[in-house]
Amino acid sequence: MARDIVLADGAAWAVPEEVPVALVYNRRNYAVMLATPDNLGDFAIGFSLAEGIIHNAGEIEAIEIVSQESGTDLHITLNAERLERFDLIQRRRNLPGRAGCGLCGLENAESLTAPLPPIADRAIEISLVALATAMAALPDWQPLNARTRSVHAAAWADADGKLLTSREDVGRHNALDKLIGALARDERDASKGFVVMSSRCSYELVEKAARAGLPAIATLSAPTAFAIRKAREARITLYARSKGRFVRVT
């Protein structure tokens, strides 16, 4: 979603929308994110999975998207069992709202030092041909970025590097949440491919991938040292592009 503006020199430019998106679970406020207001149903599912609020999409009974002048509310209805767990988590948090890259209360602050559980017995290997194929195809899966040149994409590729789906957002973390939600909604096996992202790899992307069972991430630029440590804990394979080719980082 983009808006056309006129610059001072009279030239036209398309800029992406960025609005507050409030996530409300069974009438309980949880977080406010700044996000591109499209594919918000996928965002609701993916965010819920990445935050550990749900374990699978079936634990969400309904999603209502309410657009307002000030932003968008996502009213998410959890089933009774998951709502009970959600209330236990909420009592240990202090989360009036946040931006996507910040810490989000006591529970997530503690998780910074807590090791991620491994998602597999060993890290997987992606062929360099598959990585190059997926990254070369990525621009064709970025219609919003083609207009604005200022949003991130998270795409899903099969083992051969064929892209199967993609989501865009002003925030790389939101783009990954949307992708995770789309994979869960379509009941795709997250272990049968890898993620391609038009950004660097930060620690929160690794944590989201671990919770979603994503085995490998390829990014356009290098990961942080903290992201590398987290990926090794979770046995997630990281690749980054360096000097025109992909290198394996973990």
Side-chain angles (χ1 to χ4, degrees), residues 107-188:
E107 189 171 60
N108 271 14
E110 290 174 344
S111 75
L112 290 176
T113 56
L116 290 174
I119 66 171
D121 293 335
R122 60 182 178 178
I124 69 168
E125 183 86 21
I126 305 297
S127 76
L128 296 181
V129 172
L131 291 165
T133 298
M135 195 61 74
L138 187 59
D140 293 336
W141 290 75
Q142 296 179 263
L144 182 58
N145 191 61
R147 288 190 62 197
T148 65
R149 301 298 178 186
S150 55
V151 298
H152 288 296
W156 178 249
D158 65 16
D160 296 323
K162 180 181 178 181
L163 295 187
L164 302 176
T165 190
S166 177
R167 292 293 183 268
E168 294 180 278
D169 198 276
V170 291
R172 62 183 183 270
H173 41 82
N174 295 337
L176 183 56
D177 281 338
K178 290 178 179 180
L179 178 66
I180 289 170
L183 295 175
R185 187 201 63 219
D186 295 341
E187 297 183 344
R188 293 188 184 272

Side-chain angles (χ1 to χ4, degrees), residues 20-202:
V21 177
L23 293 110
V24 183
Y25 294 88
N26 297 68
R27 300 186 179 182
R28 296 152 172 83
N29 295 329
Y30 184 82
V32 178
M33 309 292 290
L34 288 173
T36 303
D38 60 5
N39 298 118
L40 290 180
D42 292 338
F43 181 58
I45 297 171
F47 180 90
S48 301
L49 286 165
E51 287 285 305
I53 294 170
I54 61 173
H55 291 153
N56 59 74
E59 294 174 329
I60 293 178
E61 294 183 345
I63 299 172
E64 182 183 7
I65 302 172
V66 181
S67 297
Q68 305 179 67
E69 186 175 345
S70 59
T72 300
D73 290 348
L74 298 181
H75 291 276
I76 303 164
T77 303
L78 303 175
N79 64 25
E81 181 180 352
R82 186 48 51 185
L83 178 60
E84 182 179 358
R85 171 63 179 164
F86 175 81
D87 284 338
L88 289 173
I89 294 173
Q90 279 292 78
R91 283 196 282 270
R92 292 154 47 194
R93 303 173 69 104
N94 179 18
L95 185 62
R98 63 180 171 97
C101 291
L103 303 181
C104 50
L106 177 61
E107 189 171 60
N108 271 14
E110 290 174 344
S111 75
L112 290 176
T113 56
L116 290 174
I119 66 171
D121 293 335
R122 60 182 178 178
I124 69 168
E125 183 86 21
I126 305 297
S127 76
L128 296 181
V129 172
L131 291 165
T133 298
M135 195 61 74
L138 187 59
D140 293 336
W141 290 75
Q142 296 179 263
L144 182 58
N145 191 61
R147 288 190 62 197
T148 65
R149 301 298 178 186
S150 55
V151 298
H152 288 296
W156 178 249
D158 65 16
D160 296 323
K162 180 181 178 181
L163 295 187
L164 302 176
T165 190
S166 177
R167 292 293 183 268
E168 294 180 278
D169 198 276
V170 291
R172 62 183 183 270
H173 41 82
N174 295 337
L176 183 56
D177 281 338
K178 290 178 179 180
L179 178 66
I180 289 170
L183 295 175
R185 187 201 63 219
D186 295 341
E187 297 183 344
R188 293 188 184 272
D189 185 348
S191 67
K192 302 299 183 183
F194 60 98
V195 173
V196 182
M197 297 201 65
S198 62
S199 67
R200 69 177 175 87
C201 185
S202 54

